[in-house]
Amino acid sequence: MTDTEIQGAVTRLDAESAVRRLIAGYAHAMDDGRFEIVADLLQHAEFDVVGRRSTGRDNILSFLEAGIQRHADGTPRTWHAVDNSLIDVDPSGEKASSVSYYTVHQQLDGFPLQPIVAGKYLDQFERHDGEWRFKRRAVTAHLVGDLQHHVMGENGA
């Protein structure tokens, strides 16, 4: 390998690692009920949840607080499993995109552990001032179960 090829491979691996960390950070923060961290992660992004769009940290935080139920322990009582992530890094090394499968499980007293929704995350990322960040996250739902204890509004309690 030439020095240029080695540097290109290192740049790609660095980007992929940063993107995987952002994807995982979102899932962990959601399951912990730490919507302020989710809003921080998405503050520079367009956030599209099944066609409902939000932008800006405060708007995203309000969207999550108004739409996702938190239970007695302060969490949504969910467990996000994210896998099959395909990450593409732009040759410039400054942009990336990914598609990932997700499944959300939920359990509460009187509501046994079960998958409640599965779909895809369609993400775009950019590097700004040396740091990777979300540029866009679209959440699609392909398989939908019982959301009564998860979302508020027309699809839930």
Side-chain angles (χ1 to χ4, degrees):
M1 286 183 105
T2 67
D3 286 347
T4 302
E5 290 171 326
I6 291 170
Q7 183 57 42
V10 168
T11 298
R12 188 185 82 251
L13 291 171
D14 178 61
E16 289 175 0
S17 177
V19 164
R20 286 185 200 287
R21 187 163 187 82
L22 287 168
I23 291 168
Y26 172 92
H28 284 263
M30 285 294 290
D31 292 336
D32 290 343
R34 299 177 70 188
F35 299 157
E36 67 283 351
I37 292 176
V38 176
D40 288 344
L41 287 170
L42 297 172
Q43 67 183 316
H44 302 289
E46 177 185 58
F47 186 40
D48 179 339
V49 179
V50 193
R52 297 173 76 182
R53 292 178 180 88
S54 189
T55 59
R57 185 197 184 282
D58 293 341
N59 291 333
I60 291 169
L61 181 58
S62 294
F63 175 80
L64 293 169
E65 288 177 340
I68 305 294
Q69 294 183 48
R70 283 192 251 197
H71 300 281
D73 66 355
T75 76
R77 299 287 302 164
T78 56
W79 193 269
H80 285 67
V82 183
D83 56 17
N84 296 332
S85 295
L86 296 174
I87 300 170
D88 293 310
V89 179
D90 186 81
S92 71
E94 299 296 313
K95 295 179 183 179
S97 62
S98 72
V99 59
S100 305
Y101 292 171
Y102 74 87
T103 303
V104 179
H105 291 83
Q106 188 175 42
Q107 182 274 324
L108 295 146
D109 290 339
F111 189 75
L113 178 64
Q114 60 190 278
I116 59 171
V117 63
K120 290 182 181 179
Y121 294 139
L122 307 171
D123 295 322
Q124 295 175 3
F125 304 91
E126 62 186 358
R127 190 155 67 168
H128 182 79
D129 291 336
E131 297 292 323
W132 282 94
R133 65 187 188 188
F134 280 97
K135 183 177 179 180
R136 185 170 197 277
R137 166 153 277 193
V139 179
T140 67
H142 294 275
L143 305 171
V144 179
D146 189 341
L147 295 173
Q148 70 175 315
H149 301 291
H150 186 54
V151 297
M152 295 185 272
E154 70 248 15
N155 295 324

